[in-house]
Amino acid sequence: MIYAARSVTGKRANNEDSVFVPKRGEISLAIVADGMGGHSAGNVASAIAVEAVASELKKGGPGGPAALVMNAVNHANTAVFEYAKAHPECRGMGTTLVMALLFKKHFVAANVGDSRLYHYHAGALRQVTVDHSYVAELVASGYITKEEAARHPRRNLITRALGTRACERVDVFECDWEENDALLLCSDGLYSELEDCDLVRILEESGTLDAACAALVELALASGSRDNVSVVLVKNEEVQ
């Protein structure tokens, strides 16, 4: 696998996002988390969640990959929740999280909140995860269109987050992928201002994953994103 990641503060005072890509020889894993809670609490929540998921999956354990992923995300929820209980200044903090545990012919993804995972295959981009947000529920129910959701005044309201309560529902996805496919994980600061065609164009035109990450972030900021912007790209290709 080849990885690239970029996370920038953008027009916010602090960067509350956290990302994970493995060092050489580590577990094949990618994570993006978008913290919330004000002051430094959002950054704390996202960092705790990313570290908890990565450390649990590195340990391994009984059960298949989907069970291990579910357990790791649940562990992260508990870690954030318990930290907030023990530190009054962090009460109410939480974080979104999207992740993918990667294998040669398939991957296991999970998400809580509205950070997303896309699968790029044969020139087409597909959103794998489902946003846990107020507007996503309205779209699913047929009350508004996807285009209306992008402009809705409550588009930033999420319905699930890690760490805000003792237990949280986690969505897990098991998907196949092929050689030269790519995954794009990102916070809403990236996709909120871009169309899928923008994402595809940059993936196709950029010479490297690092260049694609930089171009995606730059375009999101230029298009008006006022949030932190984070993206992780993974390509199903052997490292030379």
Side-chain angles (χ1 to χ4, degrees), residues 115-129:
S115 292
R116 291 181 179 177
L117 183 146
Y118 296 89
H119 177 196
Y120 177 75
H121 168 75
L125 193 71
R126 176 178 69 92
Q127 183 180 336
V128 174
T129 54

Side-chain angles (χ1 to χ4, degrees), residues 7 38 51 64 115 147 152 186 223:
S7 182
E51 172 58 27
S115 292
E147 291 71 28
H152 197 282
C186 62
S223 298

Side-chain angles (χ1 to χ4, degrees), residues 4-8 184 189-191 193-195 197-225 229-231 233:
R6 188 168 175 81
S7 182
V8 301
L184 187 161
L190 182 86
Y191 70 75
E193 300 297 334
L194 304 180
E195 301 292 338
C197 60
D198 297 318
L199 306 180
V200 170
R201 177 177 55 80
I202 288 176
L203 289 175
E204 291 180 341
E205 293 179 356
S206 301
T208 66
L209 291 192
D210 285 327
C213 276
L216 286 166
V217 169
E218 289 170 8
L219 183 58
L221 294 174
S223 298
S225 180
V229 183
S230 297
V231 58
L233 290 172

Side-chain angles (χ1 to χ4, degrees), residues 20 27-33 45-60 68-80 95-101 108-112 162 170:
F20 175 91
I27 185 172
S28 296
L29 175 68
I31 312 173
V32 170
S46 65
I48 290 173
V50 167
E51 172 58 27
V53 169
S55 63
E56 282 299 300
L57 287 173
K58 288 175 184 178
K59 292 177 186 176
L68 292 175
V69 164
M70 179 70 77
N71 176 70
V73 179
N74 285 333
H75 179 79
N77 184 76
T78 299
V80 177
T95 184
T96 72
L97 185 134
V98 62
M99 56 143 297
L101 181 62
V108 180
N111 78 300
V112 175
L162 287 182
V170 182

Side-chain angles (χ1 to χ4, degrees), residues 101-174:
L101 181 62
L102 307 157
F103 304 91
K104 188 60 181 175
K105 295 186 177 180
H106 72 283
F107 62 89
V108 180
N111 78 300
V112 175
D114 63 351
S115 292
R116 291 181 179 177
L117 183 146
Y118 296 89
H119 177 196
Y120 177 75
H121 168 75
L125 193 71
R126 176 178 69 92
Q127 183 180 336
V128 174
T129 54
V130 177
D131 297 345
H132 303 141
S133 67
Y134 176 72
V135 294
E137 292 181 357
L138 292 180
V139 172
S141 301
Y143 289 110
I144 62 174
T145 66
K146 183 178 179 181
E147 291 71 28
E148 289 171 331
R151 303 186 300 273
H152 197 282
R154 301 182 73 183
R155 61 187 177 275
N156 295 322
L157 180 61
I158 59 175
T159 54
R160 299 188 210 173
L162 287 182
T164 58
R165 50 189 175 185
C167 295
E168 187 56 90
R169 288 178 295 156
V170 182
D171 287 352
V172 176
F173 308 84
E174 297 186 72

